[in-house]
Amino acid sequence: MTEPTDPKPDAANGDGHLAEPVRRRRERREQWAREGERPIGRNLALIGALGWLVVTPLLVSLFIGRWLDRMVGGGIFWTASLIFAGVVLGGWLAWKRIEEER
C-alpha cells in the first residue's frame, strides 16, 4: 500500500523545490507591471550578443584546429575536436548570458 502524499509543500520532505521558481515568476510579473515590456531594441541587442557568443568560440576553434592539423598533418582530428569544444563553449556562454537576463 502506498501512503497518502501531503499536498502542502514541506522542505523536510523535498516538496519545497517549487518555491524558488514561483518566487522568480512573481518578481518578473511585478517588474513587468511596473516597467512594461522590454524595448524591441534591447531584445534585438540580446539576440545579437547571443549570436556572437556562439559564433566567436566556434570560429576561433576552427582556425586553431585547422592550424594544428596543418602542423601535425593528421587529417581533421584537431579541427573536428575543437569545433565541438567551441560549440559547447559557445552554448555555455549563451546559456549564462540568458540566465543573467532573467
Side-chain angles (χ1 to χ4, degrees):
M1 295 212 127
T2 61
E3 295 181 19
T5 59
D6 186 12
K8 293 183 278 185
D10 183 18
N13 66 10
D15 290 337
H17 66 279
L18 290 177
E20 181 65 21
V22 168
R23 183 190 60 76
R24 278 194 315 233
R25 184 176 174 118
R26 185 176 345 122
E27 287 174 357
R28 283 194 300 258
R29 280 189 183 194
E30 290 170 357
Q31 180 182 5
W32 181 82
R34 282 191 316 269
E35 301 170 10
E37 291 197 34
R38 284 193 307 198
I40 188 75
R42 185 169 176 199
N43 288 337
L44 290 174
L46 177 62
I47 292 169
L50 291 176
W52 281 109
L53 284 173
V54 173
V55 169
T56 303
L58 174 65
L59 290 177
V60 169
S61 64
L62 172 72
F63 290 125
I64 292 173
R66 296 280 294 162
W67 179 76
L68 283 172
D69 283 337
R70 272 189 249 124
M71 292 294 130
V72 176
I76 62 165
F77 173 77
W78 289 108
T79 303
S81 300
L82 290 178
I83 284 176
F84 178 75
V87 168
V88 169
L89 176 63
W92 181 77
L93 289 171
W95 180 267
K96 296 300 278 184
R97 179 71 169 101
I98 290 171
E99 287 294 318
E100 288 175 6
E101 283 295 315
R102 285 183 155 194

